[in-house]
Amino acid sequence: MTPAELSRTVLRSVRGAVEEQELSVPVPARIVVRPSPRPGWGDYASNVALQLAKQAGRPAREVAEILRKRLAGSPGIARVEIAGPGFLNFTLGDEAQIALVREVLAQGSGYGDRSARTKLSARTAEAGSVDDSAAGSRAREVVVAEALARIEAAAGAPARSCAPPVPDPPDLVALLARLGSDEARWVLLRPAAHDPVRVPERPVQRESNPRFRVQYAHARARALVRNAGELGFSGEPGDVGLPVAEGVSGVADEAARRFGSGEPAGTQAAPAGRTLQGLLTLLATYPSAIDAAARLRAPDRVVRHLEATADAFFRWHDDFPPLPVGEQKPLAVHRARLALAEAAGTVLANGLHLLGISAPEYL
């Protein structure tokens, strides 16, 4: 279940409460649902009850309770809780998480893209020279415009009339020659509009470079799919199982090991479970990140969403290894984890495409 789907579910509950005269308020056009601000507060949260309370002439927690009862048991929602002055916290069921992975894989390159996949490819350039201070001027303008055209199309914005192609400005030509296309575009797109562009001396192929880290995460996801194929299995959305404790390679008896060691149940699983939810949340919110980037004309929002997704992928990968270890045979949890890894790779590839940056299969 994506935030947009959850938002529509909450909106239906409000509409039902109004139609059955439990609430006397105008039905809002849309309801905002965001990832929960802290661990232990569910997967998503909404302040809709606080927004409706004044119009309803009732305490916000009372409004929240009306909506909670209506939302309890909705498909994909495992639990609805009221927090603070009237916030609604939602915990999704396993079936909703599985459905999300299945949706990403089914849509593939179309996930997060409501357009007809307008093709705008990055242009090549010839060598030249440029002063770093100039790299943030015309070069940035051109690269941002290209990325925004793709992002706005993906968000479903009406197509704009395209001007005839013009040669790349000299500062972009030189920057592309100096850094390569991928690094140059990342450097120009990563800062927010009000921030300066910082040009490195040369591209660095290590994980301290955010661009490399995102591309490496995609390449790693693709490698997992290839390696699984060599082992004779493929991904299938499902329950990814329990996290693997540090230094332990098994899967099925993980809970028994924790109990047997005298360690309180959940002390290791809880932080690792947050790595799983963190990755799922970033996959689910990718379409809304594209919409926000288009609405605000801010491609840096896509850049930062990809960075967060890559980092979450690596954290999750360490806790939930998708491939069997040693003599272990592939299990259902490995197929489920592989499907989630493939979904993460799909989101990373789609975002890199919108930025005009390559998504390498090997790195």
Side-chain angles (χ1 to χ4, degrees):
M1 175 177 284
T2 66
E5 291 168 337
L6 180 56
S7 174
R8 289 192 291 270
T9 300
V10 178
L11 183 59
R12 284 194 295 271
S13 75
V14 173
R15 186 176 293 114
V18 171
E19 290 173 352
E20 295 182 19
Q21 299 183 352
E22 290 184 280
L23 290 175
S24 179
V25 295
V27 177
R30 61 188 293 267
I31 289 173
V32 176
V33 173
R34 293 190 173 92
S36 293
R38 64 185 68 176
W41 286 30
D43 300 324
Y44 295 96
S46 176
N47 64 350
V48 59
L50 283 80
Q51 294 176 337
L52 297 178
K54 184 175 181 180
Q55 295 171 308
R58 303 167 76 167
R61 287 186 66 92
E62 189 175 313
V63 175
E65 178 61 20
I66 291 171
L67 299 180
R68 187 197 67 77
K69 289 179 179 178
R70 287 184 163 273
L71 288 162
S74 297
I77 299 177
R79 189 166 64 254
V80 184
E81 297 171 303
I82 302 172
F87 291 98
L88 286 171
N89 292 340
F90 305 93
T91 300
L92 303 185
D94 291 341
E95 67 276 10
Q97 299 173 351
I98 295 169
L100 169 65
V101 176
R102 186 172 286 114
E103 178 184 0
V104 175
L105 295 180
Q107 294 188 22
S109 62
Y111 181 67
D113 187 346
R114 297 201 297 270
S115 74
R117 301 297 295 174
T118 302
K119 299 296 183 182
L120 294 172
S121 59
R123 294 176 286 177
T124 58
E126 298 176 357
S129 61
V130 61
D131 177 69
D132 283 354
S133 62
S137 56
R138 180 63 180 150
R140 186 180 192 181
E141 179 183 335
V142 169
V143 170
V144 167
E146 288 180 350
L148 278 176
R150 285 183 286 264
I151 291 169
E152 289 175 343
R160 301 185 180 208
S161 58
C162 296
V166 296
D168 285 326
D171 56 348
L172 179 55
V173 171
L175 197 63
L176 290 167
R178 171 175 156 185
L179 299 179
S181 177
D182 287 351
E183 182 74 3
R185 293 174 191 280
W186 188 274
V187 164
L188 294 171
L189 292 170
R190 189 172 189 264
H194 56 274
D195 291 334
V197 173
R198 293 180 173 84
V199 181
E201 287 296 322
R202 59 185 180 278
V204 177
Q205 295 293 92
R206 62 172 65 104
E207 290 187 32
S208 60
N209 179 347
R211 185 269 311 163
F212 175 82
R213 198 161 63 246
V214 170
Q215 290 182 313
Y216 180 57
H218 173 266
R220 177 59 182 157
R222 298 306 304 159
L224 289 169
V225 174
R226 291 193 300 272
N227 294 341
E230 294 171 359
L231 294 175
F233 76 99
S234 59
E236 175 61 35
D239 182 357
V240 299
L242 293 168
V244 175
E246 184 176 356
V248 180
S249 60
V251 175
D253 58 343
E254 178 62 24
R257 273 193 297 272
R258 285 201 301 276
F259 282 116
S261 66
E263 182 178 346
T267 55
Q268 291 186 20
R274 289 198 286 270
T275 68
L276 169 62
Q277 188 53 48
L279 178 59
L280 288 167
T281 297
L282 286 161
L283 301 188
T285 55
Y286 171 75
S288 60
I290 300 305
D291 289 344
R295 184 176 67 255
L296 301 173
R297 297 184 60 78
D300 60 285
R301 286 180 169 252
V302 178
V303 173
R304 298 188 187 284
H305 194 91
L306 295 183
E307 290 181 9
T309 302
D311 291 342
F313 169 77
F314 286 125
R315 288 192 295 268
W316 166 81
H317 174 280
D318 292 342
D319 291 330
F320 297 85
L323 299 179
V325 178
E327 299 300 317
Q328 190 180 44
K329 300 295 183 184
L331 303 173
V333 292
H334 294 120
R335 292 190 287 274
R337 292 171 183 178
L338 182 64
L340 179 50
E342 190 174 359
T346 297
V347 167
L348 292 170
N350 292 355
L352 288 167
H353 166 80
L354 293 181
L355 299 176
I357 295 172
S358 68
E361 295 277 322
Y362 301 86
L363 200 59

